[in-house]
Amino acid sequence: MQAILQLLVSGVLLGGVYALGALGLNLIFGVAKVVNFAHGEFLMLGMFAAYWLMTLTGINPYLGAPIIGAAFFLVGLAFYAGLMRFTIYKPELTQVFATLGLSILLQNAALVAWSADYRTIQIMPAGWESIQVLGAYVPTNRLVAFLYAVAILLAVLVFLRSTFIGRAIEAVSQDLVAARLMGIDPDRVFLMTFGLGIAITGVAGGVLMPSFYAFPSVGSFFVLVAFVVVVLGGLGSIAGTILGGLLLGLVETGIGYVAPDLKEATHFVLLILLLAVRPHGLLGVKGAEKETLK
């Protein structure tokens, strides 16, 4: 019984982290129908931003998350204005090659700037690396990252439902033509969506930094996880992102306990099965994966 409780706690915490890492990817796809293959590299840059913020100023990433978020919001605006604005209405392959090329560029730029060394930071003082809850050991860094995930996911939902720009984002995601007829400017919505999506991704990288190592190719792991979460929960569904992250975290933790060697293969197996059986995910709209902008 104790082992089951520990697995559940570990799986839920890991799932919350995965959901946070995938939220920016799913938000951008849900509105702009763009699969951002550079998503992992933006998360990697968020990790390095947290590392250098801590190293140079002493501000830990949990407290410096708003700074990272603001900086990456501007990065997201530049990402759309400098690249995606010219490909947003182009065929899907154009967007794939554009974001994939950016992914390669960012990864190699990070390699030149910071070398291939693994970097991490220690925040929690000795003796506070984990806490015990009902007999289950909870890693403190994972718990803080999970709480950030919950707070950001709730904030995004409130923003989308309670603000004018949030409702405009939802309108464009549901029907671009109807949104235009209602006087909504799609380009402004896309600009804000990319800014918000990349800001969330940067913050995700920052709060994950104390739990993982940062190196130029770390984004390759996280982008695979993000794709699995998005496909599992549903393309374009924020609630689906939460569900997909939790399910993947629980499945991966359970398989890792039974057969540790197969834990990494979980992502590939789930992705292939979901794409073959239910490509729109658990909470996604059927056909969303085939929608295009016109």
Side-chain angles (χ1 to χ4, degrees):
M1 188 64 186
Q2 192 67 32
I4 294 176
L5 178 61
Q6 183 66 60
L7 287 174
L8 287 174
V9 170
S10 299
V12 168
L13 292 179
L14 182 62
V17 167
Y18 283 170
L20 177 59
L23 179 59
L25 177 69
N26 209 6
L27 180 64
I28 290 174
F29 175 84
V31 178
K33 312 305 178 193
V34 172
V35 179
N36 179 19
F37 282 89
H39 175 79
E41 278 58 48
F42 284 115
L43 195 143
M44 174 270 293
L45 291 177
M47 296 178 74
F48 272 108
Y51 173 81
W52 290 114
L53 185 66
M54 178 76 173
T55 302
L56 298 177
T57 68
I59 301 175
N60 78 59
Y62 299 146
L63 298 178
I67 300 174
I68 296 173
F72 274 76
F73 180 78
L74 298 178
V75 171
L77 298 184
F79 176 38
Y80 177 77
L83 178 63
M84 298 313 300
R85 180 166 61 92
F86 304 103
T87 66
I88 196 74
Y89 298 108
K90 303 290 184 180
E92 290 86 347
L93 278 179
T94 303
Q95 299 168 0
V96 168
F97 287 129
T99 56
L100 188 59
L102 180 63
S103 167
I104 296 171
L105 174 64
L106 292 176
Q107 187 175 135
N108 283 275
L111 184 62
V112 171
W114 303 310
S115 78
D117 294 341
Y118 283 47
R119 292 179 168 90
T120 190
I121 52 179
Q122 299 294 330
I123 293 180
M124 299 300 171
W128 285 89
E129 293 86 357
S130 65
I131 57 176
Q132 194 170 7
V133 179
L134 299 177
Y137 287 93
V138 180
T140 312
N141 286 332
R142 290 283 177 89
L143 177 61
V144 175
F146 177 81
L147 294 176
Y148 256 100
V150 172
I152 291 174
L153 288 166
L154 290 176
V156 169
L157 288 174
V158 171
F159 172 77
L160 292 176
R161 303 291 169 83
S162 305
T163 66
F164 174 80
I165 186 64
R167 291 193 292 272
I169 288 173
E170 287 205 315
V172 171
S173 71
Q174 293 172 15
D175 194 320
L176 177 62
V177 175
R180 274 196 180 122
L181 292 174
M182 293 297 104
I184 296 174
D185 181 2
D187 287 328
R188 182 187 175 195
V189 169
F190 293 148
L191 181 68
M192 294 299 296
T193 300
F194 274 86
L196 182 60
I198 300 303
I200 293 171
T201 304
V203 171
V207 300
L208 292 180
M209 183 61 206
S211 303
F212 296 89
Y213 287 100
F215 52 96
S217 59
V218 68
S220 301
F221 166 76
F222 282 109
V223 76
L224 173 62
V225 170
F227 279 133
V228 175
V229 170
V230 168
V231 173
L232 178 59
L235 294 163
S237 171
I238 301 300
T241 303
I242 304 171
L243 178 61
L246 292 177
L247 286 177
L248 179 61
L250 290 169
V251 170
E252 181 182 323
T253 303
I255 292 179
Y257 178 76
V258 177
D261 293 339
L262 298 178
K263 185 176 72 169
E264 298 298 331
T266 305
H267 306 149
F268 293 98
V269 173
L270 277 177
L271 184 60
I272 292 171
L273 289 177
L274 285 164
L275 288 174
V277 177
R278 195 177 176 86
H280 55 282
L282 298 176
L283 298 182
V285 178
K286 189 172 183 179
E289 70 282 358
K290 299 179 182 178
E291 291 180 7
T292 57
L293 296 176
K294 297 180 180 178

